[in-house]
Amino acid sequence: MKMGRIVSIGECMGELSETGSPGTLSMGFAGDTLNTAYYLRHSLGKDWQVDYVSAVGTDGLSDRMVDFLNNEGIGTEHVRRLADKTIGLYYITLKDGERSFTYWRNDSAAKRLASDPAALNHALEGADLAYWSGITLAILSNQDRLTLIEALGQFAGKGGTVVFDPNLRPRLWDNPETMRGWVHRAAAVSDLCLPSFEDEATWFGDADPTATAKRYQEEGARRVIVKNGADDVTFAASSGEVSRISVPSVKHLVDTTAAGDSFNAGYLASELNGASVQDAVSAGARLAGRVIGARGALVPNAVKPV
Ligand code: ADP
């Protein structure tokens, strides 16, 4: 069995949700790259180390988050502690079955996750795979975006695998044009891009998933896997060959939160264990199917051994 280490880079936030009982909230933690780290940790054997790379404060709430990560078996050695900051929060309200979100994240510690290049390079040192997203990039200053892209480019140059989910969130960017520019720069240093077609069609005007895959390959991504909800997944190999893989239907769709994040983890865990792309896509789709059959981003019993 292979020993290996994965780093997932991004922002985890505190999640406050209404419990239905007046005056009582429940507290959890989630965030796209954290969700993927969580499902990777649950899917891979103990011979794999999964580390989160982020920044939090030194306050009690930040401690809670770090405790949560540690309890889940996710490494926190590279979660930096910044004395003058704290974690971002969001609050979920439920009205007629529809969830809506209120965020407090504009000044979160995670916005500084790439502000110390030496710490970043130390986190990447010796890792096999680095996972990040368009949300990771969105929350950073321009200078830190460059620092992170450069660090990942060097990591890739030394043989590391860089995996990027564009996770387009225009509200986190100054304007859509800026988002498009940076997302393409990110794709250029990534071995594997994992976009979701609906977002890509909206913000890049792609006619179909093959157009999405080809665009990212033109920007420099080696391989691209385009997710498309209940529709086929489209895979563009490094040779340029494009294939489609169907996903199992989900009978009881409850909450699509973290569909893409869990798909990515199921795919990567399976591929890291030696599966073919076809089998890894199926593993990703099965995991995502179980995650969207239950409420919330983190569904502990969604993971079955790969
Ligand atoms: P995102 O959450 O990033 O928008 P998608 O909606 O494309 O991602 O979904 C990611 C994966 O989750 C899909 O490739 C598929 O495997 C699974 N999935 C999502 N929605 C459905 C659905 N309605 N039925 C079956 N599978 C789904």
Side-chain angles (χ1 to χ4, degrees), residues 167-191:
N167 244 333
L168 304 175
R169 294 290 184 279
R171 284 206 313 193
L172 295 177
W173 295 89
D174 287 344
N175 58 65
E177 203 43 51
T178 306
M179 172 179 78
R180 286 190 279 262
W182 281 104
V183 162
H184 277 169
R185 290 168 92 160
V189 296
S190 299
D191 298 279

Side-chain angles (χ1 to χ4, degrees), residues 267-289:
Y267 174 86
L268 291 172
S270 183
E271 185 161 77
L272 290 167
N273 277 330
S276 66
V277 170
Q278 293 267 343
D279 289 349
V281 165
S282 299
R286 282 197 304 274
L287 174 54

Side-chain angles (χ1 to χ4, degrees), residues 165 167 196-197 199 227-231 233 247-250 253 256 258-261 263 284-285 288-289 292:
D165 184 335
N167 244 333
S196 287
F197 178 64
D199 292 347
K227 298 159 278 180
N228 193 11
D231 289 339
V233 165
V247 307
S249 59
V250 172
L253 204 159
T256 57
D261 306 334
F263 174 96
I292 64 181

Side-chain angles (χ1 to χ4, degrees), residues 221-261:
R222 208 166 61 81
R223 302 188 300 159
V224 184
I225 290 177
V226 187
K227 298 159 278 180
N228 193 11
D231 289 339
D232 289 356
V233 165
T234 300
F235 170 62
S238 52
S239 63
E241 192 188 328
V242 175
S243 50
R244 290 168 66 114
I245 302 151
S246 62
V247 307
S249 59
V250 172
K251 285 194 195 75
H252 303 291
L253 204 159
V254 176
D255 173 6
T256 57
T257 306
D261 306 334

Side-chain angles (χ1 to χ4, degrees), residues 69-242:
L69 295 170
N70 284 329
N71 288 338
E72 290 297 336
I74 297 168
T76 57
E77 190 193 330
H78 303 287
V79 176
R80 284 167 62 223
R81 294 288 197 141
L82 306 176
D84 56 340
K85 297 282 175 200
T86 187
I87 63 169
L89 289 176
Y90 64 100
Y91 184 103
I92 305 175
T93 35
L94 253 183
K95 197 174 173 213
D96 306 326
E98 284 291 307
R99 286 151 58 100
S100 59
F101 299 84
T102 307
Y103 290 93
W104 297 268
R105 70 188 302 188
N106 288 346
D107 191 34
S108 67
K111 289 171 81 77
R112 309 275 194 86
L113 68 84
S115 65
D116 181 343
L120 199 55
N121 287 325
H122 180 52
L124 288 167
E125 216 169 81
D128 299 271
L129 187 148
Y131 177 82
W132 65 314
S133 79
I135 296 178
T136 309
L137 200 55
I139 63 169
L140 306 179
S141 67
N142 278 340
Q143 178 57 52
D144 290 1
R145 287 172 184 157
L146 287 174
T147 301
L148 182 54
I149 289 174
E150 192 180 314
L152 288 169
Q154 282 175 10
F155 173 72
K158 286 189 242 161
T161 301
V162 178
V163 180
F164 178 69
D165 184 335
N167 244 333
L168 304 175
R169 294 290 184 279
R171 284 206 313 193
L172 295 177
W173 295 89
D174 287 344
N175 58 65
E177 203 43 51
T178 306
M179 172 179 78
R180 286 190 279 262
W182 281 104
V183 162
H184 277 169
R185 290 168 92 160
V189 296
S190 299
D191 298 279
L192 174 62
C193 253
L194 296 163
S196 287
F197 178 64
E198 204 180 302
D199 292 347
E200 302 293 327
T202 304
W203 297 104
F204 284 96
D206 299 334
D208 54 37
T210 302
T212 302
K214 292 284 176 204
R215 177 170 50 77
Y216 280 115
Q217 284 192 318
E218 274 161 25
E219 295 300 331
R222 208 166 61 81
R223 302 188 300 159
V224 184
I225 290 177
V226 187
K227 298 159 278 180
N228 193 11
D231 289 339
D232 289 356
V233 165
T234 300
F235 170 62
S238 52
S239 63
E241 192 188 328
V242 175

